Amino acid sequence: MNINDTLQINIEGMDIIDSLLNVGDMPSVILDSRTFEILYQNKKALELFGDNAHLLCHQVFGGKETPCIDCPINDLSNSSTKIRYNEILDNTLHWKYTRIKWIGDVDAVLATVEGFGEYEQISKKVSMMGIGSEYDSLTGIPKLSSFYANAEREIFANPETHYAVVVFDIDRFKTINDLYTMSKGDEVLKYVAKVLKDTFPGHNNYGRMHSDMFAFYMNYDNKGEIIRQIEKIRKAIYTNSFGFEINTSYGIYPVEDLSVPINLMCDRAMIASRTAKGNVLKFCAFYDEQYREDMLKANEIEQGMNKALENGDFKMYLQPKYRLSDGELCGAEVLCRWQHTEKGIIPPVDFIPLFEKNGFILKLDEYMWNLACQTIREWIDSGRNPVPLSVNISRYHIQHNDLEKAFSELIKKYDIPVDLLALEITESLFLDKPEKLNRELVKLQKIGFKLEVDDFGSGFSSLNLIRNVAVDTIKIDKDFLDSELASEKGKIVINHTIDMAKDLKLQVIAEGVETKEHVDFLKKSRCDIAQGFYFAKPMPLSEFNQLSF
Ligand code: C2E
Ligand code: CA
Ligand code: CA
């Protein structure tokens, strides 16, 4: 099978998987390609590596806390096979990697050992891949293993000297490949290698880690020297004759503890480099222990999220919305809470941003939307007069989900009137690709959904921006309200914003309404609806059901 093909396993039971993957006598492991969790091991793998169910690949096979810097899973499109040293067996293994779909639609990788380290068996392939040499076949500079060896030799031999390990990569290297062809990409890599060679003549203190990632180490007396060295390299790479910009981002690990192995030092430098990515004011960052803690925390959350969804640990909380003209309850916003078995209630700020990065938000939001529709259905069935519920739509959905289909199916599934479900879309999304977003929104509006611009005023948008967009309501952001209400001029800004919104036939909701002063002001300004702690905090459904509606 081609590595780019996705092997769909439709599994009815583990028996089928067992019989498939126990053919032959080679170890096979299935890994979650996002979290690196070991999902399955065949008999041979169990025998050789022990039972590692639910542990993480890099912990088991690399003895490391973070994913390997040269993890083949991240780079699968380039190569289907890799030769890697295995600590448990103290041997070199020849792995073949294939992308598959695992139970529950999890993106996974099937890793099968095709050969062990006996020279005879793999030497041919090794030489074909240039693995026998100390130097990277494309750029001619030391490859990963030689870089590790060189760094280890020098750094560990000079415990009195201060060293720093620096890892860097090219920003948007993939775009360079896509726009200017792979061979141009190769030229760029060779050029970066040449810059390193010229910077450190006669000193093998640099290497290519993999793909577009490079590293070097240097001694220093004060940290400013490291930054000056990086600036020189960065400038030399930037000043090129390719005709396009080549920017690089650097992570610095100052070596303080010699008990940390060199590969872990590089991993940590790499973690630091990620924090510099996408930040125009910052091209390098020092490793901070906090990054590692954040990553571990994120790992922990990622490991628990699927189980939590299955167990129903994500709870729907409802925050009431009140009509300012008569003080009547007129709707509620659906907000998620994670009821963690050990940690108690986790607020959305601790997991939504992570889920928006790893894509899990698609599953979680659909789950919340279902809960909202189910609640409306129950209200109708029990003879109540339901209030509309508004659900949040993360930015990830706009790129990855067919919202029209998803929401039409939902109202059909629960057989509920379309005007009982409102959709909240955050303001910043209107800055990205307003035309594309608007096309999606028009379709939803045609079906009858009410659309709300969430966090209005928090970004750069103005009524001008959303004037031509298919929305029904703006939700004024709490911070906007707070900052503007603090001054007389600000009050005028809010008054005009509300007036203009009303002229554009938009409904206005104020969120984060906390004080009587807020309420009085909003009433005078003709704001329609208020939501905030002054009236009620988000509450579980059982509590919301006690309110009168
Ligand atoms: P948001 O959509 O802007 O939701 C309003 C947030 O303001 C809620 O925070 C709410 O508890 C809080 N809030 C309401 N009234 C007041 C007030 O008077 N004062 C203050 N200080 N805060 C108030 P929460 O529930 O922590 O949610 C935070 C954010 O997480 C939400 O902001 C939303 O962007 C996101 N979120 C929550 N649940 C979901 C979900 O199911 N899916 C998605 N995609 N995002 C969600
Ligand atoms: Ca919202
Ligand atoms: Ca909001």
Side-chain angles (χ1 to χ4, degrees):
M1 162 165 296
N2 188 303
I3 200 71
N4 293 320
D5 293 345
T6 298
L7 172 67
Q8 287 274 357
I9 301 188
N10 287 318
I11 306 137
E12 283 170 352
M14 291 298 286
D15 293 351
I16 305 175
I17 307 167
D18 277 339
S19 52
L20 267 175
L21 293 178
N22 285 304
V23 179
D25 198 25
M26 284 304 199
S28 288
V29 183
I30 292 180
L31 308 164
D32 184 321
S33 57
R34 289 220 178 95
T35 62
F36 307 99
E37 183 184 340
I38 297 175
L39 302 169
Y40 170 89
Q41 289 172 272
N42 73 352
K43 286 201 187 89
K44 192 69 189 175
L46 281 169
E47 193 183 296
L48 288 177
F49 310 126
D51 185 356
N52 298 302
H54 304 305
L55 295 178
L56 302 185
C57 174
H58 42 270
Q59 289 170 343
V60 173
F61 294 113
K64 288 151 33 107
E65 300 152 46
T66 50
C68 305
I69 201 161
D70 56 342
C71 175
I73 297 181
N74 294 331
D75 210 15
L76 256 194
S77 55
N78 295 346
S79 164
S80 60
T81 53
K82 276 245 157 101
I83 293 167
R84 292 173 74 81
Y85 175 74
N86 183 279
E87 290 205 351
I88 304 172
L89 304 181
D90 188 23
N91 199 349
T92 316
L93 303 187
H94 189 186
W95 290 93
K96 180 181 167 103
Y97 300 93
T98 311
R99 283 192 191 285
I100 61 164
K101 280 277 181 211
W102 185 242
I103 305 169
D105 209 29
V106 171
D107 288 323
V109 166
L110 166 66
T112 300
V113 176
E114 293 197 320
F116 290 87
E118 291 91 40
Y119 185 76
E120 285 297 304
Q121 232 174 332
I122 55 170
S123 62
K124 208 168 138 218
K125 283 180 181 158
V126 168
S127 66
M128 273 166 56
M129 294 166 78
I131 285 178
S133 124
E134 279 175 43
Y135 295 97
D136 172 50
S137 57
L138 176 73
T139 60
I141 65 170
K143 61 181 192 181
L144 178 79
S145 51
S146 336
F147 173 74
Y148 282 167
N150 296 341
E152 215 159 46
R153 202 174 309 120
E154 185 172 334
I155 296 174
F156 293 112
N158 298 291
E160 301 302 320
T161 310
H162 290 305
Y163 280 98
V165 174
V166 180
V167 169
F168 69 97
D169 72 347
I170 301 168
D171 298 349
R172 289 183 291 279
F173 181 62
K174 195 179 166 303
T175 314
I176 296 180
N177 272 332
D178 291 348
L179 284 179
Y180 306 100
T181 73
M182 295 275 277
S183 65
K184 190 57 94 188
D186 285 353
E187 292 299 313
V188 170
L189 296 175
K190 283 189 217 164
Y191 177 71
V192 171
K194 182 176 176 309
V195 168
L196 285 171
K197 246 189 252 174
D198 294 348
T199 307
F200 305 109
H203 192 178
N204 259 357
N205 61 328
Y206 50 84
R208 179 177 175 213
M209 313 292 280
H210 71 98
S211 179
D212 63 324
M213 187 168 279
F214 296 82
F216 64 89
Y217 61 89
M218 61 179 282
N219 58 359
Y220 69 95
D221 288 324
N222 61 63
K223 288 185 175 168
E225 283 172 48
I226 312 171
I227 297 182
R228 279 194 291 279
Q229 183 62 270
I230 289 177
E231 271 173 342
K232 267 192 209 154
I233 294 176
R234 186 177 137 87
K235 196 163 163 220
I237 296 173
Y238 187 83
T239 321
N240 61 72
S241 54
F242 286 104
F244 49 81
E245 282 186 5
I246 306 174
N247 283 308
T248 36
S249 302
Y250 300 74
I252 309 160
Y253 180 77
V255 180
E256 271 152 19
D257 175 1
L258 285 180
S259 68
V260 176
I262 183 73
N263 58 344
L264 212 55
M265 294 182 185
C266 290
D267 284 357
R268 291 181 176 178
M270 186 188 61
I271 293 172
S273 82
R274 285 197 196 141
T275 68
K277 275 251 171 289
N279 184 341
V280 281
L281 299 174
K282 199 169 142 191
F283 57 86
C284 69
F286 281 89
Y287 174 78
D288 181 329
E289 202 48 30
Q290 187 63 41
Y291 301 151
R292 196 173 68 90
E293 279 167 27
D294 289 351
M295 263 183 68
L296 289 176
K297 198 171 155 201
N299 258 343
E300 205 183 314
I301 290 182
E302 287 189 319
Q303 276 183 62
M305 64 193 184
N306 279 301
K307 264 263 136 13
L309 191 65
E310 273 169 37
N311 294 349
D313 294 343
F314 291 105
K315 305 288 181 199
M316 178 182 71
Y317 272 52
L318 295 175
Q319 186 175 32
K321 294 178 178 175
Y322 290 92
R323 203 161 34 229
L324 282 166
S325 58
D326 58 9
E328 286 292 309
L329 177 72
C330 63
E333 175 173 5
V334 171
L335 294 159
C336 179
R337 298 286 180 271
W338 183 346
Q339 182 119 41
H340 198 277
T341 30
E342 286 142 30
K343 298 185 180 139
I345 290 186
I346 310 181
V349 281
D350 285 357
F351 55 87
I352 298 273
L354 179 66
F355 293 174
E356 285 180 336
K357 273 196 213 137
N358 67 20
F360 189 69
I361 195 72
L362 287 182
K363 282 191 195 171
L364 178 65
D365 271 355
E366 294 216 25
Y367 179 78
M368 298 307 293
W369 303 341
N370 269 279
L371 286 181
C373 294
Q374 190 185 330
T375 303
I376 295 171
R377 180 74 252 156
E378 281 166 12
W379 284 337
I380 296 174
D381 289 345
S382 62
R384 295 189 84 142
N385 191 14
V387 290
L389 292 183
S390 55
V391 293
N392 286 289
I393 298 181
S394 148
R395 63 176 56 244
Y396 202 87
H397 289 279
I398 308 290
Q399 291 141 5
H400 296 91
N401 203 349
D402 181 346
L403 288 176
E404 183 195 13
K405 183 160 170 270
F407 281 107
S408 326
E409 283 176 5
L410 268 175
I411 48 168
K412 216 184 279 164
K413 177 174 168 194
Y414 292 95
D415 189 21
I416 55 170
V418 62
D419 56 357
L420 287 181
L421 198 63
L423 315 179
E424 294 194 8
I425 294 139
T426 183
E427 179 205 63
S428 59
L429 265 176
F430 291 86
L431 296 170
D432 276 2
K433 288 183 189 133
E435 302 82 21
K436 182 177 181 295
L437 177 63
N438 197 36
R439 278 198 297 278
E440 300 289 322
L441 300 186
V442 166
K443 288 191 238 165
L444 290 164
Q445 220 181 24
K446 272 197 184 135
I447 304 173
F449 290 106
K450 290 277 170 288
L451 305 177
E452 299 180 4
V453 182
D454 202 356
D455 308 328
F456 183 85
S458 64
F460 306 97
S461 83
S462 62
L463 280 167
N464 196 31
L465 191 86
I466 56 165
R467 195 173 42 149
N468 300 319
V469 180
V471 293
D472 307 278
T473 302
I474 58 166
K475 275 190 95 169
I476 297 182
D477 189 59
K478 176 179 174 3
D479 288 347
F480 184 64
L481 199 67
D482 274 351
S483 61
E484 299 298 335
L485 277 190
S487 71
E488 284 311 310
K489 274 190 185 160
K491 284 182 182 149
I492 297 172
V493 171
I494 296 218
N495 269 325
H496 277 285
T497 306
I498 296 178
D499 280 346
M500 273 201 292
K502 305 225 66 156
D503 287 347
L504 292 167
K505 306 274 180 293
L506 297 171
Q507 192 183 41
V508 182
I509 302 181
E511 66 178 346
V513 177
E514 285 183 347
T515 61
K516 174 125 189 358
E517 189 211 344
H518 282 163
V519 178
D520 292 343
F521 174 81
L522 291 166
K523 270 188 183 164
K524 261 199 248 148
S525 321
R526 298 201 297 146
C527 174
D528 302 294
I529 294 169
Q531 171 187 345
F533 295 171
Y534 178 77
F535 297 99
K537 288 196 166 171
M539 57 185 82
L541 177 62
S542 55
E543 214 173 294
F544 190 86
N545 277 334
Q546 310 297 316
L547 303 176
S548 52
F549 63 97

